[in-house]
């Protein structure tokens, strides 16, 4: 006999065979529900991939693989290519990671090693709040505040100073519009700093205190402990954090749409307006009629963005695995 207690406190006796029958029925249902949850992820992923690929297939049939390296995007002549958007997506995301990485290192190290307790919690909360700010707010802030400041105090001086230099000057050409690739990269950097910093802090706090105390005991400075103990110990997780930030930057839409300039042309200049895959889809999708070549080209862009994100994820796993080995 098995015993249970009702609401009045009395003990009810459940026959053992009945308890076994209930357990025999609930366990398969529970296991089946878990299988369903796991398979649902695969089904949703397959549906998304299938929709993007099949929806973009007419564009691929029309333009072939030239779609990937054609720079033209002309709805009037219905000539579409993805090169400008691929370039803008990767370029702006790389700028974001280059800017965000040292900032994240500095904030994480300050919070874990230097900050007094009275500052550690407020700054940590502020970093978490930055992660909660909607992307459209970042975009509006970038458009109304950052872009004018960039045009007046950053782009104009750098264009005058570095623009005439051969080769290097190609990165600093064009009028100081404020918006552009570099501005988009800065906004993306601010957006991904909280994600990278949070993972860096968790990694640094997981380092055994004995390792750092031993380093301090033999006369190492704070910087030497950070460089020779903390970073090597947590580099695997840090690589994963950086790749996570890169993936976040690749897919950002609204913030980038506000500040990148949305010009479908190639330029080596950091200050030139450009476009990303996500910003192009956001701008062009409402004007794409159902069944049109433009719509299928946009769906093909979405599939390309998915492939790029998958490559970044695969590269991240490969780097982490190589560090573990």
């Amino acid at each position: 006999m098995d015993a249970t207690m009702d609401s009045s406190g009395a003990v009810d006796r459940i026959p053992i065979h009945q308890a076994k029958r209930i357990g025999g029925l609930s366990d398969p249902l529970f296991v089946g529900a878990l299988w369903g949850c796991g398979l649902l992820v695969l089904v949703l992923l397959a549906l998304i991939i299938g929709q993007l690929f099949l929806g973009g297939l007419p564009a691929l049939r029309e333009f072939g693989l030239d779609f990937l390296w054609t720079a033209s995007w002309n709805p009037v002549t219905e000539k579409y290519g993805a090169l400008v958007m691929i370039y803008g997506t990767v370029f702006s995301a790389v700028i974001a990671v280059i800017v965000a990485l040292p900032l994240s290192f500095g904030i994480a190290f300050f919070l874990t090693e230097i900050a007094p307790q009275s500052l550690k919690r407020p700054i940590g909360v502020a970093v978490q709040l930055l992660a909660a700010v909607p992307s459209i707010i970042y975009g509006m802030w970038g458009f109304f505040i950052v872009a004018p400041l960039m045009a007046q105090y950053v782009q104009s001086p750098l264009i005058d100073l570095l623009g005439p230099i051969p080769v290097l000057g190609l990165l600093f050409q064009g009028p100081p519009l404020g918006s552009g690739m570099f501005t988009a990269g800065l906004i993306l950097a601010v957006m991904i700093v909280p994600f990278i910093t949070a993972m860096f802090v968790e990694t640094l706090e997981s380092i055994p205190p004995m390792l750092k105390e031993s380093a301090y005991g033999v006369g190492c400075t704070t910087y030497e402990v950070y460089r020779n103990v903390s970073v090597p110990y947590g580099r695997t997780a840090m690589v994963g954090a950086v790749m996570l930030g890169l993936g976040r930057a690749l897919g950002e839409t609204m913030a980038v749409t506000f500040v990148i300039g949305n010009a479908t042309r190639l330029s080596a200049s950091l200050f030139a307006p450009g476009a990303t895959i996500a910003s192009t889809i956001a701008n062009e999708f409402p004007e794409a009629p159902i069944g049109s070549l433009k719509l299928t080209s946009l769906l093909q862009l979405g599939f390309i963005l998915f492939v790029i994100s998958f490559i970044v994820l695969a590269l991240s796993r490969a780097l982490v695995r190589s560090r573990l080995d």
Side-chain angles (χ1 to χ4, degrees), residues 281-302:
I281 293 175
N283 284 320
E284 304 280 349
F285 198 85
E287 302 175 359
I290 297 177
S292 65
L293 187 59
K294 183 178 183 179
L295 179 60
T296 61
S297 298
L298 291 173
L299 290 173
Q300 188 62 34
L301 282 179

Side-chain angles (χ1 to χ4, degrees), residues 81 103 159 176 198 221 228 255:
L103 285 175
I159 290 172
T221 64
N228 299 319

Side-chain angles (χ1 to χ4, degrees), residues 89 92-93 96 133-139 184 187-189 191-192 195 245-260 276-280 282 305 309:
T89 299
S92 60
V133 175
S135 61
I136 193 170
I137 302 301
Y138 278 114
I187 299 300
L188 287 174
M191 296 181 67
I192 66 176
F195 297 96
L246 177 60
R248 174 74 174 86
L250 287 171
E252 176 52 42
T253 304
M254 293 309 302
V256 174
T257 303
F258 270 88
V259 297
I260 200 170
T276 64
I277 293 176
S279 67
T280 301
L305 180 59
S309 301

